[in-house]
Amino acid sequence: MIGKIIETFTELTMEWLKDILEYETKGKGMTKINAGVEALVKKYDIHEGMCFLYIPHVSASLTISEGFDPPARMDVVNFYERLVPENQPWFEHTIEGPDDSPSHIRSTLTQTSLSIPIDDGCLTLGIWQGIYLFEHRAHHAEQKGMPRKIFVRFLKVS
Amino acid sequence: MIGKIIETFTELTMEWLKDILEYETKGKGMTKINAGVEALVKKYDIHEGMCFLYIPHVSASLTISEGFDPPARMDVVNFYERLVPENQPWFEHTIEGPDDSPSHIRSTLTQTSLSIPIDDGCLTLGIWQGIYLFEHRAHHAEQKGMPRKIFVRFLKVS
Amino acid sequence: MIGKIIETFTELTMEWLKDILEYETKGKGMTKINAGVEALVKKYDIHEGMCFLYIPHVSASLTISEGFDPPARMDVVNFYERLVPENQPWFEHTIEGPDDSPSHIRSTLTQTSLSIPIDDGCLTLGIWQGIYLFEHRAHHAEQKGMPRKIFVRFLKVS
């Protein structure tokens, strides 16, 4: 372990900013949202602080995963499809379709909230990291006619 | 992606509040704690800010999932029972009972910390979202005689 | 549910501190990092506030789990080895080795960010809780020649 002090802020201003991102999903899969979140970091001119993401859904979730090679992303998507298959005979909640209970389960296995630091004007994402909206329903947009929302809060330190 | 600015707080007061929630669990299963957390939001009169939940246990965890249809919740509970069954022949840690290692594993698959925004005096939970204390031990309360704790911190912005 | 007010901070000072922890990993497995994080809490003399941990990698992750009995930790490690085995015939992303896609998947099943309160000068970890850097690659250090990083942010309240 090597602890290196980078910077200490003792005479500082803290600001609190809030926004919402909305995405239309097209069936099951992972939608990369780096650009949307980074655009908000720029919009509010945040150089240091924290980004809090929250998804208010039970059949779509958040995850951070490999963000460049599409086959790598397909392996993640296919893993969850295999780990939590539809139409299990022991499912009790079936009235909202075969993909509803798997959606809830896959959401609990991934994330509802993420906290990402901001450093030098950018999210501290690793070079390979993508932030993803993970849609677990086959026909969310068509059925509900509404986009998925992600609530964003920033603690801006300057 | 549609980014909509909702509000910016630049002349603000930030307060920091801390509390503890305690729940007696009755064997494995999910206990909905929305009411307990929302009561604290009201108690401290928080209209905008952030709620941080932390569970200091290794055999109980936190998750956000479907909060209304009991069969939907049963499917989540039963999924984890099937994914991480007791009495696996390859378990090495068995001295604390057959449900102990599965408890640790199920905790790592779900959450220890959650960060939920507060908006207009309420947690920004989606309409179907329940916050759950997920007990993974069969007889925690009887064995230990103590409730499960959840540490709560609020960043109150006004 | 019993909500007990512990303390309210209304005339307070908030500070923001940032640091980085670095660890050399030796193949797959869980490295306990409690000492590294607690050392930073002490270094910055934080008695109350929040610790935010973020790992900027896609093949190593964070988790909080049982921190004392080595066999208990082995059961967690072995579970993920069994849940997400290498060399699945349906993997499409194989050019970076048989452990790469499983690494991404195991990262999504565990955590990229953690938020841990600080109370009375210490992280509010439960007595059995260990914070772990979970390395999912067999030969990360040898292949890449660089340590795993964890970005740390503190909100210090006093």
Side-chain angles (χ1 to χ4, degrees), chain B residues 29-44:
Chain B
M30 293 163 69
T31 301
K32 196 171 171 181
I33 64 169
N34 294 35
V37 184
E38 289 282 14
L40 296 181
V41 174
K42 297 284 175 290
K43 171 178 169 181
Y44 296 118

Side-chain angles (χ1 to χ4, degrees), chain A residues 127-143:
Chain A
I127 190 167
W128 304 111
Q129 285 186 318
I131 313 171
Y132 288 97
L133 166 60
F134 201 165
E135 174 62 67
H136 303 300
R137 293 284 270 171
H139 307 286
H140 172 74
E142 296 87 325
Q143 287 175 343

Side-chain angles (χ1 to χ4, degrees), chain C residues 104-122:
Chain C
H104 304 153
I105 294 165
R106 293 171 195 190
S107 290
T108 67
L109 288 164
T110 50
Q111 312 300 321
T112 301
S113 64
L114 291 172
S115 303
I116 309 173
I118 297 164
D119 194 53
D120 200 21
C122 295

Side-chain angles (χ1 to χ4, degrees), chain C residues 24-145:
Chain C
E24 298 276 354
T25 56
K26 296 182 184 67
K28 295 182 181 186
M30 292 164 70
T31 301
K32 195 171 172 181
I33 64 169
N34 294 36
V37 185
E38 289 281 15
L40 296 181
V41 174
K42 296 283 174 292
K43 171 179 168 181
Y44 297 118
D45 194 30
I46 305 172
H47 286 258
E48 173 61 41
M50 207 75 197
C51 172
F52 300 105
L53 301 179
Y54 184 82
I55 187 162
H57 304 295
V58 293
S59 52
S61 58
L62 298 171
T63 193
I64 290 179
S65 188
E66 210 276 344
F68 287 86
D69 188 34
R73 187 157 62 255
M74 282 311 301
D75 287 352
V76 175
V77 170
N78 288 332
F79 170 79
Y80 283 97
E81 196 67 26
R82 288 164 173 272
L83 183 68
V84 197
E86 297 185 1
N87 298 309
Q88 292 299 286
W90 53 270
F91 280 161
E92 297 186 17
H93 173 78
T94 54
I95 53 168
E96 293 180 69
D99 59 342
D100 200 45
S101 252
S103 293
H104 304 153
I105 294 165
R106 293 171 195 190
S107 290
T108 67
L109 288 164
T110 50
Q111 312 300 321
T112 301
S113 64
L114 291 172
S115 303
I116 309 173
I118 297 164
D119 194 53
D120 200 21
C122 295
L123 299 168
T124 63
L125 296 173
I127 190 167
W128 305 111
Q129 285 186 318
I131 313 171
Y132 288 97
L133 166 60
F134 201 165
E135 174 62 67
H136 304 300
R137 293 283 269 171
H139 307 286
H140 173 75
E142 295 88 326
Q143 288 175 342
K144 307 283 183 92

Side-chain angles (χ1 to χ4, degrees), chain A residues 12-16 155-157, chain B residues 12 14, chain C residues 14-16 155:
Chain A
L12 55 78
T13 304
M14 286 191 190
E15 293 171 68
W16 187 248
L155 181 68
K156 176 180 175 177
V157 179
Chain B
L12 53 77
M14 286 191 190
Chain C
M14 286 191 190
E15 292 170 70
W16 188 247
L155 181 69

Side-chain angles (χ1 to χ4, degrees), chain A residues 2-158:
Chain A
I2 309 160
K4 296 183 299 190
I5 181 163
I6 303 301
E7 223 171 330
T8 311
F9 303 86
T10 46
E11 292 185 24
L12 55 78
T13 304
M14 286 191 190
E15 293 171 68
W16 187 248
L17 302 130
K18 57 194 286 195
D19 216 310
I20 298 177
L21 291 169
E22 295 184 350
Y23 295 87
E24 298 276 353
T25 57
K26 296 181 184 69
K28 295 182 181 185
M30 293 163 71
T31 301
K32 195 172 172 181
I33 65 169
N34 294 36
V37 185
E38 289 282 14
L40 296 181
V41 174
K42 297 284 175 291
K43 172 177 167 181
Y44 297 118
D45 194 30
I46 305 172
H47 287 257
E48 173 60 42
M50 207 75 196
C51 172
F52 300 105
L53 302 179
Y54 184 82
I55 187 162
H57 303 294
V58 293
S59 53
S61 58
L62 297 171
T63 192
I64 290 180
S65 189
E66 210 276 343
F68 287 85
D69 188 34
R73 187 157 63 255
M74 282 312 300
D75 287 352
V76 175
V77 169
N78 288 333
F79 170 79
Y80 284 96
E81 195 67 27
R82 287 163 174 271
L83 183 68
V84 197
E86 298 185 1
N87 298 309
Q88 292 299 287
W90 53 270
F91 280 160
E92 297 187 18
H93 173 78
T94 54
I95 54 168
E96 292 179 70
D99 59 342
D100 201 45
S101 253
S103 293
H104 304 152
I105 294 165
R106 294 172 194 190
S107 291
T108 67
L109 289 164
T110 50
Q111 314 299 321
T112 302
S113 64
L114 291 173
S115 303
I116 309 173
I118 297 164
D119 194 52
D120 201 21
C122 297
L123 299 168
T124 63
L125 295 173
I127 190 167
W128 304 111
Q129 285 186 318
I131 313 171
Y132 288 97
L133 166 60
F134 201 165
E135 174 62 67
H136 303 300
R137 293 284 270 171
H139 307 286
H140 172 74
E142 296 87 325
Q143 287 175 343
K144 305 283 182 93
M146 38 181 149
R148 294 300 197 177
K149 293 183 180 188
I150 298 168
F151 296 137
V152 187
R153 292 292 190 282
F154 292 109
L155 181 68
K156 176 180 175 177
V157 179
S158 52

